[in-house]
Amino acid sequence: DVKVTQSSRYLVKRTGEKVFLECVQDMDHENMFWYRQDPGLGLRLIYFSYDVKMKEKGDIPEGYSVSREKKERFSLILESASTNQTSMYLCASSLIVRANEQFFGPGTRLTVL
Amino acid sequence: AQSVTQLDSQVPVFEEAPVELRCNYSSSVSVYLFWYVQYPNQGLQLLLKYLSGSTLVKGINGFEAEFNKSQTSFHLRKPSVHISDTAEYFCAVSVMAGGGADGLTFGKGTHLIIQP
């Protein structure tokens, strides 16, 4: 079974802090994604990566950056957290084959005070 | 750019009744279509997907969806729902374009509420 794990289920940070959200997948997938999920807005793509050290902006990259130093790990970074970044963050991975299924982690609920 | 519209934010249904969750999309190029389900406090799980071929797609847990190109729709159906189907359902598209990775464009979700 494909497993996508996220470092924390719940996280509380203060405004201005630097925040790292970690995601690890164990199926040797090339593609990895970060989404945020907000009530009434569905999921929105923040960043994705199709290879180590490669990254592409999604629909809402402002205020975020990412790092992919190893194939299995994809990190989302909030350089200076703000209250409007309070949200559920979901990581996903997939094979490089077009339109292949994305496998999602359980999510990290981040609250910025 | 593509977009996805899920017409109902909430759908209440009695147990063992049929249900249809509606999804329409907009895109200037051909797309792949997906339905994902999110149970409470969990990540998303693929229900079914349409890539090509037969327009009627069968998925897990008794769900099916029909792709209608002329109406740009991909509605999800189940003939008889159970309490365990209570969840959030998301319709999503990705485009048939070049490149290595496919970010999905999601609808806003439909909360399916099963009433006993």
Side-chain angles (χ1 to χ4, degrees):
Chain A
D1 266 2
V2 176
K3 196 164 185 183
V4 180
T5 56
Q6 296 184 229
S7 51
S8 306
R9 290 301 302 270
Y10 300 94
L11 208 53
V12 180
K13 296 292 182 180
R14 297 210 174 271
T15 302
E17 279 193 77
K18 190 169 186 176
V19 181
F20 292 86
L21 303 182
E22 306 286 342
C23 175
V24 178
Q25 50 93 4
D26 66 359
M27 282 301 290
D28 204 33
H29 284 174
E30 294 88 357
N31 297 335
M32 296 190 74
F33 308 83
W34 275 107
Y35 296 90
R36 65 176 281 176
Q37 181 180 13
D38 300 288
L41 295 179
L43 280 78
R44 292 176 292 168
L45 181 64
I46 305 171
Y47 268 97
F48 63 95
S49 168
Y50 53 88
D51 200 354
V52 174
K53 296 190 185 296
M54 304 303 289
K55 60 184 179 184
E56 295 281 349
K57 292 180 180 179
D59 299 319
I60 51 163
E62 296 78 19
Y64 304 94
S65 62
V66 290
S67 172
R68 191 158 181 210
E69 297 296 321
K70 293 185 178 181
K71 189 175 185 180
E72 67 271 17
R73 187 179 297 270
F74 192 36
S75 302
L76 181 69
I77 303 158
L78 287 66
E79 294 289 342
S80 177
S82 64
T83 54
N84 62 14
Q85 292 178 310
T86 291
S87 186
M88 171 70 86
Y89 290 87
L90 292 166
C91 176
S93 72
S94 73
L95 288 169
I96 198 81
V97 176
R98 180 143 295 276
N100 209 43
E101 176 182 355
Q102 290 188 18
F103 293 86
F104 283 80
T108 295
R109 185 166 294 282
L110 172 68
T111 301
V112 182
L113 302 175
Chain B
Q2 59 278 4
S3 66
V4 178
T5 302
Q6 291 183 245
L7 296 162
D8 306 297
S9 59
Q10 271 194 146
V11 173
V13 182
F14 286 107
E15 196 172 13
E16 297 184 10
V19 69
E20 178 179 83
L21 305 184
R22 296 180 293 169
C23 172
N24 288 86
Y25 69 92
S26 172
S27 176
S28 56
V29 298
S30 295
V31 297
Y32 302 111
L33 295 152
F34 304 80
W35 275 99
Y36 281 83
V37 60
Q38 184 178 35
Y39 298 106
N41 299 313
Q42 294 185 29
L44 276 69
Q45 177 183 351
L46 183 69
L47 270 179
L48 48 80
K49 64 182 178 183
Y50 172 78
L51 304 184
S52 64
S54 172
T55 57
L56 183 63
V57 180
K58 294 192 182 297
I60 62 171
N61 300 340
F63 284 93
E64 63 180 33
E66 185 149 24
F67 170 57
N68 187 319
K69 189 174 182 180
S70 62
Q71 297 187 1
T72 60
S73 68
F74 191 53
H75 300 333
L76 181 71
R77 295 191 285 259
K78 186 169 182 177
S80 175
V81 296
H82 303 285
I83 289 285
S84 58
D85 292 323
T86 296
E88 192 86 16
Y89 291 79
F90 292 94
C91 182
V93 302
S94 69
V95 297
M96 297 184 187
D102 304 324
L104 293 169
T105 299
F106 284 88
K108 295 182 179 180
T110 297
H111 189 196
L112 179 59
I113 302 166
I114 310 300
Q115 302 167 329

